[in-house]
Amino acid sequence: MKIAVLALQGAFIEHEHKLQQLGVESFEIRQYRDWQQEKDALILPGGESTVQMRLLKELGLYEPIRQAILNGLPVFGTCAGMILLSEDHLGTMDIRVRRNAYGRQLGSFHTRGKVVWVGDDMPMTFIRAPYIEEVLSHDCHVLSEVDGHVVAALQGNQLATSFHPELDDDTRLHEYFCSLIGNNQFEAGLGI
C-alpha cells in the first residue's frame, strides 16, 4: 500500500509518521509531477484550508485531485482537509462545514470520545477546528459528535475528521483508514 500525503502546508509530516508507525509507505504531493505517481489513497492534512486551496489551483492539482476522489480514490481529510472535501471547496463530500467553529488558537482543546467502527475513548485534538454543520445526503454517515456537533464522517471513499488524529499517540483512525483501503471496504465497513 502506498499513500500520497498532500504536503503543501500544514501537519503533513505527522501523518507520514503515523503511516510509518503502521509500516505503510507514503510520499509527498508538492507539485503535479508528484501526483502522477501510483497511489492507493490520499491524505489531506490539517493546516490553513484557504492557503491549501489556493496552492491546489495554482499548481494544477485541484481538478486532478477532485476527479480522482470522485472516481473512487480513498481520501482521509483532517481539519483543513475536511474543509477541502466539503461542498464549498473540492465538493466531493456532501457536508457543509463551519470553519474555525471552536474559535481561534485559544479555542483549541483536547477531549476523548467515541468514533463509530473505530473505538471508544479516542483522543481528539481540536486546533481552530471546524465541525460539520450539516450532512447533505444519506450517503454521508456520522461517525462522531462532540457537544452535539458532528466531528467525523464517512461517505463512500471519503473519511473526514474535525480533529487531528495525527497529533495523538493513538493510531486507530489511521489503522481504520488503511484497513478500508486494503480491503476496498469503505461501504462494507459501515455494514451497509
Side-chain angles (χ1 to χ4, degrees):
M1 186 183 307
K2 191 173 181 182
I3 298 180
V5 179
L6 187 67
L8 302 180
Q9 187 270 338
F12 57 88
I13 196 76
E14 291 83 354
H15 280 290
E16 292 171 32
H17 290 159
K18 276 283 184 272
L19 294 172
Q20 187 177 21
Q21 277 183 279
L22 300 175
V24 175
E25 186 180 350
S26 67
F27 68 97
E28 295 180 354
I29 302 292
R30 293 181 177 271
Q31 52 195 328
Y32 182 73
R33 77 167 167 240
D34 300 328
W35 177 252
Q36 295 173 309
Q37 294 182 58
E38 289 293 317
K39 59 201 148 299
D40 297 299
L42 171 66
I43 290 179
L44 301 174
E48 296 289 341
S49 60
T50 304
V51 172
Q52 290 182 22
M53 182 57 69
R54 179 176 51 80
L55 290 170
L56 284 175
K57 289 180 177 176
E58 286 176 7
L59 296 168
L61 288 165
Y62 175 88
E63 200 54 40
I65 286 176
R66 182 175 184 278
Q67 285 306 314
I69 294 168
L70 290 173
N71 290 334
L73 180 72
V75 62
F76 183 12
T78 61
C79 197
M82 181 177 84
I83 294 170
L84 292 180
L85 294 172
S86 72
E87 68 161 7
D88 292 331
H89 292 76
L90 289 167
T92 57
M93 197 165 182
D94 298 331
I95 54 174
R96 185 170 297 125
V97 173
R98 181 169 176 194
R99 296 177 58 193
N100 295 325
Y102 294 103
R104 297 259 174 241
Q105 205 75 20
L106 292 176
S108 301
F109 67 98
H110 182 84
T111 189
R112 300 185 86 81
K114 178 179 180 176
V115 178
V116 176
W117 298 299
V118 180
D120 297 330
D121 198 38
M122 295 285 300
M124 299 177 175
T125 298
F126 293 84
I127 302 173
R128 290 173 43 203
Y131 59 67
I132 298 173
E133 274 189 315
E134 188 178 359
V135 172
L136 303 170
S137 80
H138 295 295
D139 296 330
C140 187
H141 304 273
V142 172
L143 299 185
S144 185
E145 293 184 30
V146 171
D147 297 329
H149 300 296
V150 177
V151 298
L154 180 67
Q155 179 182 334
N157 55 313
Q158 302 173 82
L159 175 63
T161 64
S162 298
F163 52 94
H164 290 266
E166 74 281 8
L167 298 181
D168 290 304
D169 291 336
D170 197 301
T171 60
R172 286 178 287 174
L173 260 168
H174 286 80
E175 289 173 35
Y176 178 65
F177 181 62
C178 291
S179 74
L180 295 176
I181 299 162
N183 298 311
N184 198 17
Q185 294 289 309
F186 274 83
E187 294 300 337
L190 294 167
I192 57 175

